[in-house]
Amino acid sequence: MRGLSDYHVHTSRCGHAGGESRDFVLKAIDRGLAEVGLTDHIPLYFLPVAERDPKLAMKEEEFDGYIEEVLELRDEFRGKIAVRLGLEADYREGHEEELACWLARADWDLVLGSVHWVAGGWIDAPGSAARFETEGTENLYDEYYRLLSKAARTGFFDVLTHFDLPKKFGYRPPSPRVTAEGEAIAAAKEGGCAVEISSAGLRKPVGEIYPEARLLEEIVAARIPVTFSSDAHAPAEVGWGYEKTVALARRCGVREFVTFESRRKIFHALPEPN
Ligand SMILES: [Zn+2]
Ligand SMILES: [Zn+2]
């Protein structure tokens, strides 16, 4: 998709992605993207050291090397594609000061805000699906959106990721949790956050883009900016599924998207279909 960007891309450091970081950038060029934001998982700062699973996020000692590598790629590919220095940062309630320290360690182009930890555990890890049976789908959705709302208002994050993540395994409440969702949309607006439109959900059991059309329409109506992303964990996934992503965006009224440089928003018209 010519002229678009992919603003959610991982590297092998996180322990569950494969390939050379350089190949993620090359794939972005190959797809005709104008920008790629490398946004690997922040170390699991909010868990006790013994519980920091190296298969879920980079280790603390890899953090500076990650930043260095992205800055090198930015220089190497200057003039071919804009490589942005980003981070996917988990929000965990009560650990805001530690997060602030981590974010202070680089001059980021963009920081993604993700809620993966809900009510004492992962909501999206392999094995999390059972929680929807035992803890109740409505409870988990409500708690997720409460945390997402809180995250949006912290000022730490430029973009909220996979907005309706609890649907990942296909568990849905009998009817939409409109109060909790509405609160999260209002919080995104107030917190100045953009929301990503992510093809990643198409590769998950739910088989649906994040966020679903109904929510995206509300996000657009609230005049909240959007980014495009794949949440790539392999080079082949960069810019993956964009035909569907862009078609959904257009149907839901998206006319522009946003990119970031040093955490400053830059607006672009959505390219016309070719
Ligand atoms: Zn990941
Ligand atoms: Zn995520």
Side-chain angles (χ1 to χ4, degrees):
M1 269 299 159
R2 213 139 284 284
L4 287 175
S5 47
D6 190 338
Y7 263 23
H8 192 154
V9 173
H10 292 279
T11 78
S12 60
R13 281 189 182 77
C14 70
H16 57 278
E20 295 293 320
S21 304
R22 218 171 159 271
D23 290 337
F24 286 79
V25 178
L26 289 171
K27 189 67 190 182
I29 295 171
D30 190 45
R31 297 253 202 224
L33 301 183
E35 299 197 16
V36 60
L38 295 186
T39 56
D40 213 350
H41 294 284
I42 193 171
L44 300 174
Y45 67 90
F46 54 90
L47 292 177
V49 176
E51 290 169 34
R52 294 179 189 170
D53 183 347
K55 290 218 157 4
L56 293 180
M58 72 174 101
K59 299 191 201 106
E60 296 200 28
E61 57 267 31
E62 290 176 302
F63 192 66
D64 290 331
Y66 164 68
I67 294 164
E68 216 170 287
E69 184 184 38
V70 177
L71 295 178
E72 279 168 19
L73 291 168
R74 181 157 85 182
D75 287 345
E76 180 186 344
F77 287 99
R78 202 179 297 279
K80 298 195 181 76
I81 189 168
V83 176
R84 303 295 183 202
L85 174 62
L87 186 70
E88 179 176 14
D90 286 81
Y91 174 70
R92 176 148 179 215
E93 197 176 30
H95 292 255
E96 290 83 355
E97 283 178 27
E98 291 151 83
L99 178 55
C101 291
W102 281 96
L103 297 184
R105 285 173 59 175
D107 176 17
W108 308 102
D109 288 310
L110 71 151
V111 176
L112 307 182
S114 296
V115 173
H116 300 117
W117 187 271
V118 179
W122 300 111
I123 190 122
D124 65 327
S128 301
R131 297 188 65 198
F132 290 87
E133 305 276 0
T134 54
E135 295 171 53
T137 298
E138 290 172 328
N139 294 336
L140 287 175
Y141 270 71
D142 285 355
E143 178 63 359
Y144 169 81
Y145 281 119
R146 184 186 72 77
L147 293 169
L148 189 64
S149 306
K150 230 177 146 180
R153 291 197 171 96
T154 58
F156 289 139
F157 307 116
D158 301 302
V159 184
L160 300 180
T161 60
H162 33 61
F163 194 88
D164 48 356
L165 179 65
K167 74 181 178 186
K168 175 174 175 175
F169 300 107
Y171 288 90
R172 301 198 194 246
S175 56
R177 307 305 290 166
V178 286
T179 307
E181 294 165 354
E183 172 60 19
I185 292 168
K189 178 76 181 172
E190 279 170 42
C193 298
V195 168
E196 71 171 9
I197 307 175
S198 168
S199 64
L202 294 170
R203 305 190 300 270
K204 303 296 189 293
V206 68
E208 185 183 280
I209 288 164
Y210 302 113
E212 67 175 44
R214 181 181 58 81
L215 287 168
L216 184 54
E217 281 168 5
E218 289 180 32
I219 287 160
V220 172
R223 303 182 63 81
I224 293 167
V226 300
T227 64
F228 287 95
S229 72
S230 67
D231 206 342
H233 285 76
E237 291 173 354
V238 176
W240 181 89
Y242 268 30
E243 299 73 16
K244 285 182 179 160
T245 311
V246 172
L248 174 75
R250 229 181 274 285
R251 270 205 312 282
C252 292
V254 172
R255 295 293 172 263
E256 58 182 15
F257 66 100
V258 73
T259 57
F260 290 87
E261 201 174 337
S262 297
R263 311 198 65 179
R264 203 165 37 84
K265 290 187 184 78
I266 303 161
F267 288 87
H268 311 263
L270 191 60
E272 288 303 316
N274 36 15

